[in-house]
Amino acid sequence: MSRFFSEKYSSLVPYTPGEQPQDKKYIKLNTNESPFPPSQAVSDAVGAEAGRLQLYSDPECVALRKKAAEVFGINTDEIIMTNGSDEVLNFAFMAFADEKNPLRFADITYGFYPVFAELNHIPYTEISLKEDFSLDPNDYTEVNETVVIANPNAPTGLALGLETIEEIVKSNPDNIVIIDEAYIDFGGRSAVPLTKKYDNLLVTGTFSKSRSMAGARLGFGIGNAKLIADLNTVKYSTNPYNVNRLTAVAGIAALEDNGYYMNNCKKIQENRAWTTAELEKLGFTVLPSMANFIFARSDKISGEELYLTLKEKGILIRHFTKERICDYNRITIGTSEQMKIFVDAVKEIVG
C-alpha cells in the first residue's frame, strides 16, 4: 500500500471475487453466473437505449421499481434498486448496524459480509455453522443484534424454511434482520411476503443469478417503506445515479420476460439434480443445495487438487482455502452439456 493510505483501512482484507482467467476459453463453473443468455427482449431494450447515454439515468428508477413492484407483489415505495445486491447490502450495513447494533452472521457464508463490516467499522460476531453446515436458528433468535442470513446460504447451498425465517424476524423486533436471497429462485421460498407483516425485515436480491444479468449489476432491497427511505438516504448521500440507463431498461425487460427466466431456473434445478446424482455415484459427498451451485467433496482427492486438475482441463470451479471447507469445492450448475463435460472430466480424474 502507499504511504498515503488511511490507517483506518490498513487492516482491511478485501473481498476476493471468482477468478476470470483470459489465457484460454474455459467452461466457467466458478462464479455462479447463469449459463443462459438474457432474453432477446433484454438485448433489444439495451440496444434501443444505447443512443441516450448522454443523459443521466433516473435516480429514482421509477419505471423499473414499478415493474418490480408488480412482479414481487409490493408497493413502489417498498423497494430500492441498486448496483448489484452488494450495494444494497453495504447500504443496509451502514444504515442499520453500528456499535450499539452489531452484526451477526455465519462463519461460512457470503464473503462480503465481514468485508462490509470492517469497511464501515461495525463490530460483528461470526457464528459457527453446525457440523453438517446447517445454520442453527437458535443462534439468531432474541440476540438484539443486526442479523444477516444468506438464504440459501453460500457456498453451502443449504436453505432455511420460511417458518424458521419468520421466527428469527419475530424474535428480534428491535433489530433489523437482513435475508440475502441471491439464490432464492432455484428452489427456496422467498421471505418477501413477510415484509408486509414485519417492519424489521429487509430482503435483498439480485438479477445476476436467475435473470442472467451478472454483467449489468442490478440488485434490490424490499422492506417496509420506512426502511427503504432510510436506505435511500444512504444512497443519495453516496451514489444517486447508481443504476445506469442500460441496466435499468434491461431490468424492466427481464421482469416483463419473467417466464423465460423462471423456466431457465427449472432447467438449472434439473441439471443440479443430475450432477448431484452423478457425483454421488463417484463417492462424492454433496450437500443438498437449493441454489444454482453444489458444494461437494471426495475422499479420493483433495479439494485443491480437483480444482487445479479441472482447471488444466479447461473447467473452472471455486475452491476455498478456509480450513473447515478446504476439502470442498463449489460447482456452479451450467447447461446439461457443460455438466456432462464436467462429470466426464471428474470421472477421468478420480477413476
Side-chain angles (χ1 to χ4, degrees):
M1 67 182 71
S2 78
R3 59 192 175 91
F4 304 104
F5 196 51
S6 173
E7 288 186 4
K8 64 183 178 182
Y9 298 127
S10 60
S11 62
L12 184 64
V13 179
Y15 175 73
T16 303
E19 61 183 320
Q20 306 276 2
Q22 306 294 319
D23 57 319
K24 62 181 179 181
K25 187 175 181 179
Y26 289 89
I27 292 177
K28 288 185 80 276
L29 306 178
N30 67 321
T31 50
N32 298 342
E33 298 150 317
S34 172
F36 303 109
S39 68
Q40 187 59 48
V42 169
S43 298
D44 292 344
V46 170
E49 190 69 15
R52 305 183 69 199
L53 288 179
Q54 76 275 19
L55 303 174
Y56 281 113
S57 59
D58 174 14
E60 296 183 11
C61 296
V62 172
L64 177 55
R65 285 191 298 112
K66 181 179 179 182
K67 177 53 64 175
E70 291 175 9
V71 171
F72 296 125
I74 57 173
N75 299 320
T76 56
D77 61 354
E78 294 171 337
I79 185 169
I80 181 174
M81 310 307 300
T82 56
N83 193 304
S85 60
D86 290 336
E87 186 174 58
V88 72
L89 287 167
N90 192 31
F91 287 171
F93 280 31
M94 295 169 69
F96 306 125
D98 51 31
E99 290 186 359
K100 294 181 180 179
N101 299 281
L103 291 157
R104 173 174 289 241
F105 45 80
D107 63 334
I108 298 172
T109 190
Y110 184 34
F112 238 136
Y113 299 161
V115 176
F116 285 146
E118 294 284 353
L119 179 68
N120 293 299
H121 305 290
I122 302 168
Y124 62 94
T125 302
E126 292 182 304
I127 306 299
S128 295
L129 295 179
K130 294 194 289 186
E131 191 66 28
D132 62 357
F133 296 112
S134 64
L135 181 148
D136 187 345
N138 293 324
D139 289 331
Y140 299 88
T141 55
E142 300 179 350
V143 294
N144 296 315
E145 296 177 342
T146 302
V147 171
V148 188
I149 296 174
N151 195 52
N153 195 16
T156 65
L158 301 180
L160 294 175
L162 193 57
E163 298 79 9
T164 301
I165 293 292
E166 181 170 14
E167 185 59 36
I168 292 171
V169 175
K170 185 166 59 176
S171 74
N172 292 287
D174 298 320
N175 292 86
I176 297 298
V177 176
I178 302 168
I179 304 299
D180 179 354
E181 293 189 344
Y183 302 100
I184 200 66
D185 291 326
F186 301 100
R189 290 179 63 196
S190 176
V192 166
L194 295 179
T195 61
K196 297 288 188 181
K197 190 174 180 181
Y198 300 97
D199 66 357
N200 64 321
L201 172 62
L202 177 69
V203 177
T204 65
T206 180
F207 281 56
S208 294
K209 315 302 181 184
S210 59
R211 292 186 172 86
S212 302
M213 284 177 53
R217 311 309 301 133
L218 183 61
F220 57 89
I222 295 174
N224 177 279
K226 291 183 178 180
L227 290 189
I228 301 304
D230 294 338
L231 294 173
N232 273 311
T233 296
V234 176
K235 167 190 163 178
Y236 282 97
S237 301
T238 53
N239 187 16
Y241 302 100
N242 60 335
V243 178
N244 70 72
R245 300 191 72 90
L246 302 186
T247 293
V249 297
I252 294 169
L255 290 167
E256 290 175 341
D257 229 356
N258 204 45
Y260 166 79
Y261 294 99
M262 294 304 101
N263 186 54
N264 286 343
C265 289
K266 292 179 181 177
K267 294 178 183 177
I268 293 292
Q269 291 176 64
E270 292 169 359
N271 296 344
R272 182 182 69 202
W274 180 85
T275 305
T276 296
E278 291 299 308
L279 289 181
E280 288 178 340
K281 290 177 186 176
L282 296 172
F284 278 77
T285 297
V286 185
L287 299 190
S289 174
M290 296 288 273
N292 68 337
F293 58 82
I294 54 177
F295 203 49
R297 66 176 293 274
S298 171
D299 291 331
K300 300 177 183 178
I301 188 171
S302 72
E304 182 179 25
E305 184 180 355
L306 180 60
Y307 152 71
L308 291 173
T309 307
L310 284 170
K311 185 175 182 179
E312 290 176 0
K313 293 178 176 290
I315 301 171
L316 294 176
I317 59 175
R318 187 74 188 265
H319 180 66
F320 299 90
T321 58
K322 201 168 188 176
E323 183 177 356
R324 191 175 171 193
I325 57 174
C326 63
D327 285 337
Y328 284 79
N329 285 301
R330 192 192 68 193
I331 303 147
T332 302
I333 301 299
T335 64
S336 57
E337 293 80 9
Q338 288 175 325
M339 300 322 294
K340 186 178 186 305
I341 293 171
F342 163 76
V343 168
D344 286 345
V346 173
K347 287 179 179 177
E348 290 181 7
I349 295 167
V350 301

PDB file of all heavy atoms in Angstrom, residues 26-57:
ATOM      1  N   TYR A  26     -12.613 -21.243 -21.143  1.00  0.00           N
ATOM      2  CA  TYR A  26     -12.948 -22.182 -20.080  1.00  0.00           C
ATOM      3  C   TYR A  26     -14.453 -22.446 -20.027  1.00  0.00           C
ATOM      4  O   TYR A  26     -15.258 -21.605 -20.447  1.00  0.00           O
ATOM      5  CB  TYR A  26     -12.539 -21.624 -18.715  1.00  0.00           C
ATOM      6  CG  TYR A  26     -11.058 -21.561 -18.455  1.00  0.00           C
ATOM      7  CD1 TYR A  26     -10.321 -20.432 -18.808  1.00  0.00           C
ATOM      8  CD2 TYR A  26     -10.391 -22.609 -17.834  1.00  0.00           C
ATOM      9  CE1 TYR A  26      -8.952 -20.363 -18.566  1.00  0.00           C
ATOM     10  CE2 TYR A  26      -9.030 -22.552 -17.574  1.00  0.00           C
ATOM     11  CZ  TYR A  26      -8.315 -21.423 -17.946  1.00  0.00           C
ATOM     12  OH  TYR A  26      -6.959 -21.361 -17.699  1.00  0.00           O
ATOM     13  N   ILE A  27     -14.820 -23.588 -19.493  1.00  0.00           N
ATOM     14  CA  ILE A  27     -16.186 -23.811 -19.035  1.00  0.00           C
ATOM     15  C   ILE A  27     -16.240 -23.241 -17.628  1.00  0.00           C
ATOM     16  O   ILE A  27     -15.590 -23.750 -16.717  1.00  0.00           O
ATOM     17  CB  ILE A  27     -16.547 -25.310 -19.045  1.00  0.00           C
ATOM     18  CG1 ILE A  27     -16.606 -25.835 -20.479  1.00  0.00           C
ATOM     19  CG2 ILE A  27     -17.891 -25.539 -18.347  1.00  0.00           C
ATOM     20  CD1 ILE A  27     -16.882 -27.321 -20.579  1.00  0.00           C
ATOM     21  N   LYS A  28     -16.980 -22.158 -17.440  1.00  0.00           N
ATOM     22  CA  LYS A  28     -16.961 -21.420 -16.178  1.00  0.00           C
ATOM     23  C   LYS A  28     -18.043 -21.938 -15.235  1.00  0.00           C
ATOM     24  O   LYS A  28     -19.221 -21.650 -15.405  1.00  0.00           O
ATOM     25  CB  LYS A  28     -17.147 -19.922 -16.422  1.00  0.00           C
ATOM     26  CG  LYS A  28     -15.926 -19.255 -17.060  1.00  0.00           C
ATOM     27  CD  LYS A  28     -16.108 -17.747 -17.181  1.00  0.00           C
ATOM     28  CE  LYS A  28     -15.830 -17.033 -15.872  1.00  0.00           C
ATOM     29  NZ  LYS A  28     -16.932 -16.966 -14.924  1.00  0.00           N
ATOM     30  N   LEU A  29     -17.601 -22.671 -14.249  1.00  0.00           N
ATOM     31  CA  LEU A  29     -18.496 -23.177 -13.217  1.00  0.00           C
ATOM     32  C   LEU A  29     -18.011 -22.687 -11.852  1.00  0.00           C
ATOM     33  O   LEU A  29     -18.086 -23.403 -10.855  1.00  0.00           O
ATOM     34  CB  LEU A  29     -18.529 -24.713 -13.245  1.00  0.00           C
ATOM     35  CG  LEU A  29     -18.878 -25.367 -14.595  1.00  0.00           C
ATOM     36  CD1 LEU A  29     -18.815 -26.884 -14.483  1.00  0.00           C
ATOM     37  CD2 LEU A  29     -20.247 -24.912 -15.092  1.00  0.00           C
ATOM     38  N   ASN A  30     -17.528 -21.447 -11.822  1.00  0.00           N
ATOM     39  CA  ASN A  30     -16.884 -20.955 -10.600  1.00  0.00           C
ATOM     40  C   ASN A  30     -17.475 -19.676 -10.019  1.00  0.00           C
ATOM     41  O   ASN A  30     -17.130 -19.304  -8.898  1.00  0.00           O
ATOM     42  CB  ASN A  30     -15.390 -20.728 -10.855  1.00  0.00           C
ATOM     43  CG  ASN A  30     -15.128 -19.598 -11.834  1.00  0.00           C
ATOM     44  OD1 ASN A  30     -15.847 -19.436 -12.822  1.00  0.00           O
ATOM     45  ND2 ASN A  30     -14.092 -18.810 -11.575  1.00  0.00           N
ATOM     46  N   THR A  31     -18.355 -18.979 -10.742  1.00  0.00           N
ATOM     47  CA  THR A  31     -18.838 -17.694 -10.224  1.00  0.00           C
ATOM     48  C   THR A  31     -20.354 -17.596 -10.158  1.00  0.00           C
ATOM     49  O   THR A  31     -20.901 -16.503  -9.988  1.00  0.00           O
ATOM     50  CB  THR A  31     -18.274 -16.525 -11.057  1.00  0.00           C
ATOM     51  OG1 THR A  31     -18.502 -16.780 -12.447  1.00  0.00           O
ATOM     52  CG2 THR A  31     -16.782 -16.347 -10.821  1.00  0.00           C
ATOM     53  N   ASN A  32     -21.039 -18.707 -10.291  1.00  0.00           N
ATOM     54  CA  ASN A  32     -22.499 -18.763 -10.126  1.00  0.00           C
ATOM     55  C   ASN A  32     -23.256 -17.855 -11.084  1.00  0.00           C
ATOM     56  O   ASN A  32     -24.330 -17.331 -10.754  1.00  0.00           O
ATOM     57  CB  ASN A  32     -22.894 -18.463  -8.669  1.00  0.00           C
ATOM     58  CG  ASN A  32     -22.336 -19.489  -7.709  1.00  0.00           C
ATOM     59  OD1 ASN A  32     -21.940 -20.578  -8.103  1.00  0.00           O
ATOM     60  ND2 ASN A  32     -22.300 -19.140  -6.429  1.00  0.00           N
ATOM     61  N   GLU A  33     -22.692 -17.663 -12.264  1.00  0.00           N
ATOM     62  CA  GLU A  33     -23.408 -16.948 -13.311  1.00  0.00           C
ATOM     63  C   GLU A  33     -24.413 -17.891 -13.966  1.00  0.00           C
ATOM     64  O   GLU A  33     -24.291 -19.108 -13.878  1.00  0.00           O
ATOM     65  CB  GLU A  33     -22.427 -16.449 -14.380  1.00  0.00           C
ATOM     66  CG  GLU A  33     -21.408 -15.461 -13.860  1.00  0.00           C
ATOM     67  CD  GLU A  33     -20.090 -15.527 -14.617  1.00  0.00           C
ATOM     68  OE1 GLU A  33     -19.623 -16.649 -14.898  1.00  0.00           O
ATOM     69  OE2 GLU A  33     -19.540 -14.457 -14.918  1.00  0.00           O
ATOM     70  N   SER A  34     -25.391 -17.333 -14.641  1.00  0.00           N
ATOM     71  CA  SER A  34     -26.315 -18.165 -15.403  1.00  0.00           C
ATOM     72  C   SER A  34     -25.628 -18.614 -16.687  1.00  0.00           C
ATOM     73  O   SER A  34     -24.923 -17.832 -17.325  1.00  0.00           O
ATOM     74  CB  SER A  34     -27.583 -17.377 -15.763  1.00  0.00           C
ATOM     75  OG  SER A  34     -28.393 -18.131 -16.652  1.00  0.00           O
ATOM     76  N   PRO A  35     -25.842 -19.870 -17.098  1.00  0.00           N
ATOM     77  CA  PRO A  35     -25.274 -20.318 -18.368  1.00  0.00           C
ATOM     78  C   PRO A  35     -26.117 -19.876 -19.563  1.00  0.00           C
ATOM     79  O   PRO A  35     -25.726 -20.078 -20.710  1.00  0.00           O
ATOM     80  CB  PRO A  35     -25.287 -21.842 -18.226  1.00  0.00           C
ATOM     81  CG  PRO A  35     -26.497 -22.112 -17.391  1.00  0.00           C
ATOM     82  CD  PRO A  35     -26.553 -20.965 -16.401  1.00  0.00           C
ATOM     83  N   PHE A  36     -27.282 -19.272 -19.265  1.00  0.00           N
ATOM     84  CA  PHE A  36     -28.206 -18.878 -20.321  1.00  0.00           C
ATOM     85  C   PHE A  36     -28.103 -17.372 -20.592  1.00  0.00           C
ATOM     86  O   PHE A  36     -27.977 -16.579 -19.658  1.00  0.00           O
ATOM     87  CB  PHE A  36     -29.638 -19.230 -19.933  1.00  0.00           C
ATOM     88  CG  PHE A  36     -29.823 -20.685 -19.623  1.00  0.00           C
ATOM     89  CD1 PHE A  36     -30.041 -21.112 -18.313  1.00  0.00           C
ATOM     90  CD2 PHE A  36     -29.757 -21.639 -20.619  1.00  0.00           C
ATOM     91  CE1 PHE A  36     -30.200 -22.457 -18.013  1.00  0.00           C
ATOM     92  CE2 PHE A  36     -29.921 -22.995 -20.335  1.00  0.00           C
ATOM     93  CZ  PHE A  36     -30.133 -23.403 -19.029  1.00  0.00           C
ATOM     94  N   PRO A  37     -28.169 -16.966 -21.836  1.00  0.00           N
ATOM     95  CA  PRO A  37     -28.068 -15.530 -22.156  1.00  0.00           C
ATOM     96  C   PRO A  37     -29.338 -14.793 -21.751  1.00  0.00           C
ATOM     97  O   PRO A  37     -30.386 -15.414 -21.509  1.00  0.00           O
ATOM     98  CB  PRO A  37     -27.905 -15.537 -23.676  1.00  0.00           C
ATOM     99  CG  PRO A  37     -28.633 -16.769 -24.124  1.00  0.00           C
ATOM    100  CD  PRO A  37     -28.367 -17.788 -23.046  1.00  0.00           C
ATOM    101  N   PRO A  38     -29.274 -13.467 -21.679  1.00  0.00           N
ATOM    102  CA  PRO A  38     -30.502 -12.695 -21.449  1.00  0.00           C
ATOM    103  C   PRO A  38     -31.502 -12.958 -22.576  1.00  0.00           C
ATOM    104  O   PRO A  38     -31.124 -13.371 -23.671  1.00  0.00           O
ATOM    105  CB  PRO A  38     -30.018 -11.243 -21.461  1.00  0.00           C
ATOM    106  CG  PRO A  38     -28.548 -11.317 -21.222  1.00  0.00           C
ATOM    107  CD  PRO A  38     -28.095 -12.607 -21.810  1.00  0.00           C
ATOM    108  N   SER A  39     -32.754 -12.713 -22.306  1.00  0.00           N
ATOM    109  CA  SER A  39     -33.766 -12.884 -23.344  1.00  0.00           C
ATOM    110  C   SER A  39     -33.545 -11.862 -24.462  1.00  0.00           C
ATOM    111  O   SER A  39     -32.884 -10.832 -24.269  1.00  0.00           O
ATOM    112  CB  SER A  39     -35.165 -12.710 -22.756  1.00  0.00           C
ATOM    113  OG  SER A  39     -35.371 -11.367 -22.356  1.00  0.00           O
ATOM    114  N   GLN A  40     -34.121 -12.135 -25.618  1.00  0.00           N
ATOM    115  CA  GLN A  40     -33.979 -11.222 -26.748  1.00  0.00           C
ATOM    116  C   GLN A  40     -34.548  -9.851 -26.426  1.00  0.00           C
ATOM    117  O   GLN A  40     -34.028  -8.821 -26.870  1.00  0.00           O
ATOM    118  CB  GLN A  40     -34.680 -11.799 -27.987  1.00  0.00           C
ATOM    119  CG  GLN A  40     -34.435 -10.995 -29.265  1.00  0.00           C
ATOM    120  CD  GLN A  40     -32.965 -10.900 -29.628  1.00  0.00           C
ATOM    121  OE1 GLN A  40     -32.249 -11.902 -29.631  1.00  0.00           O
ATOM    122  NE2 GLN A  40     -32.483  -9.692 -29.923  1.00  0.00           N
ATOM    123  N   ALA A  41     -35.599  -9.832 -25.616  1.00  0.00           N
ATOM    124  CA  ALA A  41     -36.203  -8.557 -25.232  1.00  0.00           C
ATOM    125  C   ALA A  41     -35.216  -7.669 -24.477  1.00  0.00           C
ATOM    126  O   ALA A  41     -35.201  -6.449 -24.650  1.00  0.00           O
ATOM    127  CB  ALA A  41     -37.453  -8.807 -24.385  1.00  0.00           C
ATOM    128  N   VAL A  42     -34.382  -8.286 -23.655  1.00  0.00           N
ATOM    129  CA  VAL A  42     -33.371  -7.528 -22.914  1.00  0.00           C
ATOM    130  C   VAL A  42     -32.334  -6.950 -23.870  1.00  0.00           C
ATOM    131  O   VAL A  42     -31.977  -5.770 -23.792  1.00  0.00           O
ATOM    132  CB  VAL A  42     -32.702  -8.418 -21.848  1.00  0.00           C
ATOM    133  CG1 VAL A  42     -31.468  -7.729 -21.267  1.00  0.00           C
ATOM    134  CG2 VAL A  42     -33.687  -8.748 -20.734  1.00  0.00           C
ATOM    135  N   SER A  43     -31.855  -7.777 -24.772  1.00  0.00           N
ATOM    136  CA  SER A  43     -30.869  -7.302 -25.752  1.00  0.00           C
ATOM    137  C   SER A  43     -31.437  -6.163 -26.591  1.00  0.00           C
ATOM    138  O   SER A  43     -30.754  -5.164 -26.857  1.00  0.00           O
ATOM    139  CB  SER A  43     -30.438  -8.461 -26.661  1.00  0.00           C
ATOM    140  OG  SER A  43     -29.817  -9.482 -25.911  1.00  0.00           O
ATOM    141  N   ASP A  44     -32.693  -6.289 -27.009  1.00  0.00           N
ATOM    142  CA  ASP A  44     -33.327  -5.238 -27.818  1.00  0.00           C
ATOM    143  C   ASP A  44     -33.469  -3.944 -27.027  1.00  0.00           C
ATOM    144  O   ASP A  44     -33.231  -2.850 -27.554  1.00  0.00           O
ATOM    145  CB  ASP A  44     -34.701  -5.708 -28.297  1.00  0.00           C
ATOM    146  CG  ASP A  44     -34.622  -6.839 -29.304  1.00  0.00           C
ATOM    147  OD1 ASP A  44     -33.523  -7.070 -29.860  1.00  0.00           O
ATOM    148  OD2 ASP A  44     -35.656  -7.506 -29.533  1.00  0.00           O
ATOM    149  N   ALA A  45     -33.852  -4.059 -25.750  1.00  0.00           N
ATOM    150  CA  ALA A  45     -34.037  -2.872 -24.918  1.00  0.00           C
ATOM    151  C   ALA A  45     -32.721  -2.129 -24.709  1.00  0.00           C
ATOM    152  O   ALA A  45     -32.668  -0.895 -24.767  1.00  0.00           O
ATOM    153  CB  ALA A  45     -34.640  -3.272 -23.569  1.00  0.00           C
ATOM    154  N   VAL A  46     -31.658  -2.883 -24.481  1.00  0.00           N
ATOM    155  CA  VAL A  46     -30.342  -2.263 -24.283  1.00  0.00           C
ATOM    156  C   VAL A  46     -29.880  -1.561 -25.561  1.00  0.00           C
ATOM    157  O   VAL A  46     -29.370  -0.432 -25.529  1.00  0.00           O
ATOM    158  CB  VAL A  46     -29.318  -3.320 -23.834  1.00  0.00           C
ATOM    159  CG1 VAL A  46     -27.903  -2.752 -23.857  1.00  0.00           C
ATOM    160  CG2 VAL A  46     -29.650  -3.822 -22.432  1.00  0.00           C
ATOM    161  N   GLY A  47     -30.080  -2.218 -26.699  1.00  0.00           N
ATOM    162  CA  GLY A  47     -29.689  -1.608 -27.964  1.00  0.00           C
ATOM    163  C   GLY A  47     -30.431  -0.325 -28.241  1.00  0.00           C
ATOM    164  O   GLY A  47     -29.846   0.671 -28.715  1.00  0.00           O
ATOM    165  N   ALA A  48     -31.713  -0.308 -27.935  1.00  0.00           N
ATOM    166  CA  ALA A  48     -32.524   0.883 -28.187  1.00  0.00           C
ATOM    167  C   ALA A  48     -32.149   2.034 -27.263  1.00  0.00           C
ATOM    168  O   ALA A  48     -32.240   3.210 -27.646  1.00  0.00           O
ATOM    169  CB  ALA A  48     -34.008   0.538 -28.014  1.00  0.00           C
ATOM    170  N   GLU A  49     -31.715   1.703 -26.055  1.00  0.00           N
ATOM    171  CA  GLU A  49     -31.391   2.738 -25.069  1.00  0.00           C
ATOM    172  C   GLU A  49     -29.987   3.296 -25.235  1.00  0.00           C
ATOM    173  O   GLU A  49     -29.681   4.394 -24.742  1.00  0.00           O
ATOM    174  CB  GLU A  49     -31.557   2.174 -23.653  1.00  0.00           C
ATOM    175  CG  GLU A  49     -31.483   3.187 -22.528  1.00  0.00           C
ATOM    176  CD  GLU A  49     -32.664   4.138 -22.490  1.00  0.00           C
ATOM    177  OE1 GLU A  49     -33.689   3.856 -23.155  1.00  0.00           O
ATOM    178  OE2 GLU A  49     -32.565   5.167 -21.787  1.00  0.00           O
ATOM    179  N   ALA A  50     -29.115   2.594 -25.944  1.00  0.00           N
ATOM    180  CA  ALA A  50     -27.707   2.995 -26.044  1.00  0.00           C
ATOM    181  C   ALA A  50     -27.533   4.390 -26.634  1.00  0.00           C
ATOM    182  O   ALA A  50     -26.575   5.092 -26.295  1.00  0.00           O
ATOM    183  CB  ALA A  50     -26.941   1.965 -26.873  1.00  0.00           C
ATOM    184  N   GLY A  51     -28.459   4.807 -27.476  1.00  0.00           N
ATOM    185  CA  GLY A  51     -28.353   6.126 -28.085  1.00  0.00           C
ATOM    186  C   GLY A  51     -28.692   7.270 -27.162  1.00  0.00           C
ATOM    187  O   GLY A  51     -28.628   8.440 -27.573  1.00  0.00           O
ATOM    188  N   ARG A  52     -29.011   6.971 -25.903  1.00  0.00           N
ATOM    189  CA  ARG A  52     -29.384   8.028 -24.940  1.00  0.00           C
ATOM    190  C   ARG A  52     -28.384   8.115 -23.789  1.00  0.00           C
ATOM    191  O   ARG A  52     -28.680   8.686 -22.740  1.00  0.00           O
ATOM    192  CB  ARG A  52     -30.789   7.759 -24.397  1.00  0.00           C
ATOM    193  CG  ARG A  52     -31.855   7.610 -25.479  1.00  0.00           C
ATOM    194  CD  ARG A  52     -33.232   7.408 -24.878  1.00  0.00           C
ATOM    195  NE  ARG A  52     -33.700   8.615 -24.205  1.00  0.00           N
ATOM    196  CZ  ARG A  52     -34.669   8.639 -23.294  1.00  0.00           C
ATOM    197  NH1 ARG A  52     -35.233   7.503 -22.913  1.00  0.00           N
ATOM    198  NH2 ARG A  52     -35.045   9.784 -22.743  1.00  0.00           N
ATOM    199  N   LEU A  53     -27.215   7.569 -23.980  1.00  0.00           N
ATOM    200  CA  LEU A  53     -26.235   7.543 -22.888  1.00  0.00           C
ATOM    201  C   LEU A  53     -25.678   8.918 -22.529  1.00  0.00           C
ATOM    202  O   LEU A  53     -24.978   9.064 -21.515  1.00  0.00           O
ATOM    203  CB  LEU A  53     -25.088   6.587 -23.232  1.00  0.00           C
ATOM    204  CG  LEU A  53     -25.436   5.091 -23.181  1.00  0.00           C
ATOM    205  CD1 LEU A  53     -24.225   4.248 -23.564  1.00  0.00           C
ATOM    206  CD2 LEU A  53     -25.924   4.694 -21.796  1.00  0.00           C
ATOM    207  N   GLN A  54     -25.981   9.916 -23.348  1.00  0.00           N
ATOM    208  CA  GLN A  54     -25.542  11.273 -22.982  1.00  0.00           C
ATOM    209  C   GLN A  54     -26.352  11.828 -21.814  1.00  0.00           C
ATOM    210  O   GLN A  54     -25.960  12.824 -21.192  1.00  0.00           O
ATOM    211  CB  GLN A  54     -25.653  12.218 -24.190  1.00  0.00           C
ATOM    212  CG  GLN A  54     -27.062  12.673 -24.538  1.00  0.00           C
ATOM    213  CD  GLN A  54     -27.806  11.686 -25.422  1.00  0.00           C
ATOM    214  OE1 GLN A  54     -27.455  10.521 -25.509  1.00  0.00           O
ATOM    215  NE2 GLN A  54     -28.830  12.183 -26.094  1.00  0.00           N
ATOM    216  N   LEU A  55     -27.453  11.169 -21.478  1.00  0.00           N
ATOM    217  CA  LEU A  55     -28.329  11.621 -20.404  1.00  0.00           C
ATOM    218  C   LEU A  55     -28.117  10.781 -19.146  1.00  0.00           C
ATOM    219  O   LEU A  55     -27.884   9.574 -19.219  1.00  0.00           O
ATOM    220  CB  LEU A  55     -29.798  11.501 -20.837  1.00  0.00           C
ATOM    221  CG  LEU A  55     -30.196  12.249 -22.109  1.00  0.00           C
ATOM    222  CD1 LEU A  55     -31.643  11.922 -22.477  1.00  0.00           C
ATOM    223  CD2 LEU A  55     -30.018  13.756 -21.930  1.00  0.00           C
ATOM    224  N   TYR A  56     -28.229  11.440 -17.997  1.00  0.00           N
ATOM    225  CA  TYR A  56     -28.167  10.707 -16.736  1.00  0.00           C
ATOM    226  C   TYR A  56     -29.316   9.703 -16.645  1.00  0.00           C
ATOM    227  O   TYR A  56     -30.394   9.909 -17.216  1.00  0.00           O
ATOM    228  CB  TYR A  56     -28.263  11.667 -15.543  1.00  0.00           C
ATOM    229  CG  TYR A  56     -26.981  12.384 -15.198  1.00  0.00           C
ATOM    230  CD1 TYR A  56     -26.872  13.768 -15.365  1.00  0.00           C
ATOM    231  CD2 TYR A  56     -25.896  11.692 -14.684  1.00  0.00           C
ATOM    232  CE1 TYR A  56     -25.715  14.444 -15.036  1.00  0.00           C
ATOM    233  CE2 TYR A  56     -24.728  12.357 -14.352  1.00  0.00           C
ATOM    234  CZ  TYR A  56     -24.638  13.732 -14.531  1.00  0.00           C
ATOM    235  OH  TYR A  56     -23.483  14.389 -14.211  1.00  0.00           O
ATOM    236  N   SER A  57     -29.087   8.652 -15.914  1.00  0.00           N
ATOM    237  CA  SER A  57     -30.162   7.708 -15.629  1.00  0.00           C
ATOM    238  C   SER A  57     -31.108   8.307 -14.596  1.00  0.00           C
ATOM    239  O   SER A  57     -30.780   9.281 -13.918  1.00  0.00           O
ATOM    240  CB  SER A  57     -29.575   6.398 -15.109  1.00  0.00           C
ATOM    241  OG  SER A  57     -28.825   6.621 -13.924  1.00  0.00           O
TER     242      SER A  57
END
